[in-house]
Each structure stands twice: as structure tokens, then as C-alpha cells.
């Protein structure tokens, strides 16, 4: 039968895996974002950066190419960011407009900060169902980018993944995604000729096994939210993740929506789904008093701002092909009079209300 042939293929693939060096688990994959625009920017900074303004865009969503690839200018050493990265418990993070809530949420999602966590970033005021679907979609994307893992896990775990994807996304859409992923060879990047052939065979076996699991899986909905949470936790662990990290980045006027989520912060944490809820200042202060979780006010000291600005300028200088040697020298020696025009630094801090 088709299943017995696939099982024979599985045994061969498993033996091949034992001979293969471990493959990367990096996630999310490095995404190439549009380069930030080269905008007219005068003064000392403009001269050093070839007129590439490192602070021009108004929203972090619009400056992904500055924060991450290609410029990689997101500063990861803010004390609050480090604590959020290391803390495994749910929390509420709040602060005024411009304090960096979205940038910090994206930094946790885009930066591959912890290999043991599957990051899921969601902006807006999504329903619980939309959050659930986003988690399932991220897990599917990871699985189809690392199909060799489908060989390593057991048949029961594969069947559970197939059921999770088929119910959460739809069986036809799951099969279509599998077919698209099967044709995408970017996951073989970095392999030499011998490895490429072996990896391709491993991935092909994983895809064929999982395709059969999808076709055979029962489309029985979860009995309740607890059953869904249990499935997510088991599927995440089978793929090598200790937890799912959900980063909810809310807009203004979100209090009613955020309040409705508070009971789930602890409930989902019990199933190793950690929610970090990023809220505007007013809503965050109110809800922090009600929630039985850690709450963090996102603030910046002068020293934090100084270190962030210097790091970003250095990264953007390298990306822009400016006078890297000169700007690195200036930053290292903290020669503000050479780096900033008169009054620009004070105006920057005042204008940002001590938030970048």
C-alpha cells in the first residue's frame, strides 16, 4: 500500500538523517525588507550617512528595513527589552506613543531571540479565533520550511499536526501550502552538492509522509478551548519549541478588547503559550491594576537614548556605505560636537518626549 511504501521510505530517510550534520532551526527566517528611502538629510549626520536619514520614518512598520534586514539597526540592549526576552511569563507592556512598543514587539518576533520559542506577532485588535489561526499558520510555515523534522517526529505527532493545520487553516489550503513549499528550494541554501542531494531527499520524504497524514486526518473540531491549547502545546513540543510567544501589538482605544483577553493570559500560559500584550499608556495603566501578571512601563533614560542613537547611526552608516571609519571613530569617542549639529540632540530628546 501507499502507507507501507512511505514507511519504508521513512526508515531509509531516518538512517540518512543520522549521517547528516544537524540542519538550522533558525526561525523566523531572515526576511529581506524594502530598503529605507534615501531622503535629503543635512548637517554632520547627513554627510556621514550619505543623506540616508536614520530617523525619518514615523512608524516602525514602515522602517523594517532600518530596524532589521538590511540595516539591522534595532538596538537589543535596552534593559526592558532584555528582561522581556528572558522572561517566560505573560506580561503587559505599556507606554506613550513613540516609546517603542511596536519596535520591541517586532524585535522579539523578527530577531530570533530564543530558539526555544515560536514567535507570533499580531497587530491590531484580533479576535481570539484570529489569534489562534495566526499561531497555527506560523507553526505551519515553520514545519513546511523544515520538512525534515517530519521524519524525526512520530506518526502520532505528525497526525496531530495534520489535524491542527487542516482544521485551523482548511485541508485544501494546507495541501496547497505543502505543494508550494515542496517547490521552494530556498531551504536548501547553504548546502554543498552532496548535502543538497541528501537534504532534498529527506525533505521529499517528509512532505510525502505528511501529505498522506493530511489526506487521512479526521476533521473533528476541538471539543473546547482547553483541547485546542493541549494540541498546540504538544505540536509545539514535537517541533522542538518549549513555548509559543504571542506578541499582541494593540492600537489606541483598545481597552475593551484588551480587557477581554486578560483571563487568557494565565490560561494560555499554563499550556506554554506566553502572551506579551503591548498597550498604549492610558489603557495599559488601567489594565495593569486588574491583571494578575507582570506589567512593565516602557521608559527610556538619557543613557538608553544615547546608546540607541549611536548604535543605529553606526548600523545605518555601514548599510548606506557612508564614511564608516569616520562615524565609527566619532561614536567610539562620543564626540557629540562632531556628530550632531548644535542643539539637534536636545531637540531630538524633547521632541520624542524621551522616547525614540
Amino acid at each position: 500500500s501507499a502507507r507501507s511504501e512511505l514507511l519504508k521510505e521513512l526508515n531509509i530517510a531516518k538512517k540518512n538523517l543520522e549521517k547528516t550534520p544537524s540542519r538550522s532551526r533558525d526561525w523566523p527566517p531572515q526576511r529581506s525588507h524594502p530598503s529605507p528611502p534615501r531622503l535629503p538629510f543635512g548637517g554632520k549626520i547627513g554627510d556621514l550617512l550619505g543623506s540616508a536619514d536614520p530617523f525619518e520614518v514615523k512608524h516602525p512598520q514602515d522602517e523594517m528595513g532600518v530596524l532589521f534586514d538590511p540595516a539591522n539597526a534595532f538596538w537589543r540592549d535596552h534593559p526592558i527589552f532584555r528582561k522581556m526576552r528572558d522572561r517566560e511569563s505573560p506580561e503587559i507592556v505599556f507606554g506613550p506613543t513613540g516609546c517603542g512598543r511596536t519596535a520591541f514587539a517586532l524585535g522579539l518576533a523578527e530577531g530570533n531571540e530564543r530558539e526555544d520559542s515560536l514567535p507570533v506577532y499580531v497587530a491590531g485588535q484580533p479576535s481570539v479565533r484570529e489569534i489562534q489561526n495566526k499561531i497555527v499558520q506560523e507553526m505551519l510555515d515553520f514545519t513546511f520550511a523544515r520538512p525534515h523534522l517530519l521524519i524525526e517526529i512520530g506518526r502520532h505527532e505528525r497526525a496531530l499536526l495534520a489535524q491542527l493545520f487542516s482544521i485551523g487553516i482548511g485541508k485544501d489550503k494546507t495541501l496547497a501550502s505543502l505543494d508550494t513549499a515542496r517547490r521552494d528550494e530556498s531551504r536548501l541554501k547553504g548546502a554543498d552538492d552532496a548535502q543538497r542531494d541528501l537534504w532534498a531527499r529527506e525533505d521529499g520524504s517528509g512532505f510525502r509522509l505528511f501529505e498522506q497524514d493530511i489526506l487521512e486526518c479526521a476533521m473533528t473540531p476541538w471539543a473546547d478551548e482547553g483541547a485546542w491549547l493541549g494540541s498546540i502545546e504538544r505540536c509545539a513540543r514535537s517541533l522542538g519549541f518549549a513555548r509559543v510567544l504571542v506578541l499582541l501589538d494593540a492600537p489606541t482605544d483598545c481597552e475593551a478588547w484588551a480587557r477581554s483577553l486578560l483571563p487568557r493570559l494565565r490560561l494560555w500560559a499554563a499550556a506554554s503559550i506566553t502572551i506579551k500584550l503591548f498597550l498604549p499608556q492610558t489603557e495599559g495603566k488601567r489594565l495593569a491594576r486588574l491583571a494578575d501578571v507582570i506589567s512593565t512601563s516602557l521608559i527610556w533614560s538619557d543613557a538608553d537614548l544615547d546608546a540607541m542613537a549611536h548604535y543605529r547611526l553606526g548600523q545605518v552608516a555601514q548599510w548606506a556605505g557612508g564614511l564608516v571609519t569616520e562615524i565609527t571613530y566619532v561614536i567610539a569617542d562620543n564626540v557629540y560636537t562632531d556628530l550632531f549639529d548644535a542643539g539637534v540632540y536636545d531637540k531630538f530628546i524633547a521632541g520624542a518626549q524621551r522616547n525614540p
Side-chain angles (χ1 to χ4, degrees), residues 53 189 211 299 312 322 341:
D53 184 347
K189 186 178 179 181
E211 184 176 36
I299 56 176
R312 176 178 282 208
D341 292 328

Side-chain angles (χ1 to χ4, degrees), residues 49 71 312-322 324 327-328:
L49 302 186
R312 176 178 282 208
L313 289 170
Q315 291 296 110
V316 173
Q318 293 183 53
W319 164 77
V324 178
I327 195 168
T328 302

Side-chain angles (χ1 to χ4, degrees), residues 17 23 140-153 158 178 181-182 184 187-188 199-210 239:
L17 271 177
R23 294 169 64 175
L140 179 146
D141 291 343
F142 173 82
T143 302
F144 287 173
R146 306 286 185 270
H148 63 283
L149 296 176
L150 294 166
I151 300 171
E152 299 178 15
I153 65 178
R158 281 199 312 275
L178 185 149
R182 182 157 39 197
D184 181 6
R187 65 183 177 277
L188 304 177
W199 288 6
R201 283 189 278 121
E202 290 171 357
D203 292 354
S205 296
F207 280 130
R208 282 188 291 275
L209 280 165
F210 198 56
L239 293 172

Side-chain angles (χ1 to χ4, degrees), residues 31-43:
R31 298 180 173 101
S32 184
H33 303 287
S35 294
R38 301 297 183 93
L39 299 166
F41 193 63

Side-chain angles (χ1 to χ4, degrees), residues 48 310 323-335 338:
L48 292 168
H310 278 70
L323 302 178
V324 178
T325 302
E326 181 179 348
I327 195 168
T328 302
Y329 171 80
V330 172
I331 290 172
D333 287 4
N334 292 312
V335 185
D338 286 346

Side-chain angles (χ1 to χ4, degrees), residues 39-58:
L39 299 166
F41 193 63
K44 292 287 184 181
I45 297 176
D47 292 342
L48 292 168
L49 302 186
S51 296
D53 184 347
F55 300 107
E56 177 61 25
V57 293
K58 295 181 179 180

